[in-house]
Amino acid sequence: MKRLSQIVLATLMLALVAANVKAQDDITDQDMKDYAIILMAQKSITDKISPYVNGLIEKQDGIDGNRYAALDAAAKGDVAKLPADATDFEKQFYQTIQTQVDKRKKAASAVVSNLARYSLGGKKYNAMKKAYKSDADVKAKVDGFMAGLAM
């Protein structure tokens, strides 16, 4: 009976491994290209946030990049966490900037969500996201597609 249990357990383990390999095999080059496009679209939006914020800071009298960086390090996006020495002007300016940053982050998220839903589908997108994080070969291929798109 013990031997039979070991055989059944070994068979189940083999089946699980085979299912995992099959799931990886279901990811095609086209899926990786689509995932690369999604990442590039997200990057296109989020990469413009920092220069945008820097431009707003440069145009604003009464605050410089160093002060804004100190405020942001303390608050981490939450106006309520600004240090006690922050002036009302700094609080208002920080809130205005964070509102704009949040809008851009939400836009990037919406783009990713729509592209994922309508290009790959939810299940395939999640499988690609997982494979991108855990499989070096998939990551290398997706990164290669992204490099090709960036040219």
Side-chain angles (χ1 to χ4, degrees):
M1 186 68 161
K2 188 175 183 181
R3 177 85 170 132
L4 181 60
S5 295
Q6 290 175 341
I7 291 172
V8 169
L9 183 61
T11 303
L12 284 173
M13 294 298 287
L14 185 59
L16 287 173
V17 169
N20 190 30
V21 169
K22 180 167 177 13
Q24 292 287 344
D25 290 341
D26 289 345
I27 295 174
T28 65
D29 280 354
Q30 185 60 49
D31 294 335
M32 289 186 246
K33 287 178 187 176
D34 290 345
Y35 189 73
I37 290 169
I38 292 169
L39 293 180
M40 289 296 292
Q42 180 183 34
K43 185 176 175 4
S44 175
I45 296 170
T46 57
D47 282 357
K48 291 175 179 64
I49 292 174
S50 186
Y52 173 74
V53 169
N54 290 338
L56 292 175
I57 292 168
E58 287 174 13
K59 292 177 187 175
Q60 183 60 53
D61 291 333
I63 194 164
D64 64 10
N66 292 332
R67 180 60 179 159
Y68 182 83
L71 293 172
D72 195 44
K76 296 183 180 8
D78 184 357
V79 176
K81 294 180 181 175
L82 283 170
D85 69 338
T87 66
D88 288 340
F89 164 75
E90 289 173 335
K91 290 176 184 176
Q92 183 178 11
F93 182 72
Y94 187 80
Q95 177 62 50
T96 301
I97 296 293
Q98 286 310 302
T99 299
Q100 295 302 313
V101 168
D102 289 345
K103 283 182 185 179
R104 282 159 176 73
K105 286 180 180 179
K106 285 178 184 173
S109 180
V111 165
V112 169
S113 178
N114 283 324
L115 286 172
R117 181 180 308 126
Y118 297 113
S119 67
L120 287 171
K123 283 184 177 181
K124 184 66 80 166
Y125 173 78
N126 289 332
M128 274 302 313
K129 187 175 179 180
K130 183 179 177 184
Y132 183 75
K133 288 181 180 180
S134 64
D135 187 327
D137 291 335
V138 170
K139 183 173 180 5
K141 276 189 172 184
V142 171
D143 289 348
F145 290 135
M146 287 174 63
L149 291 170
M151 294 180 157

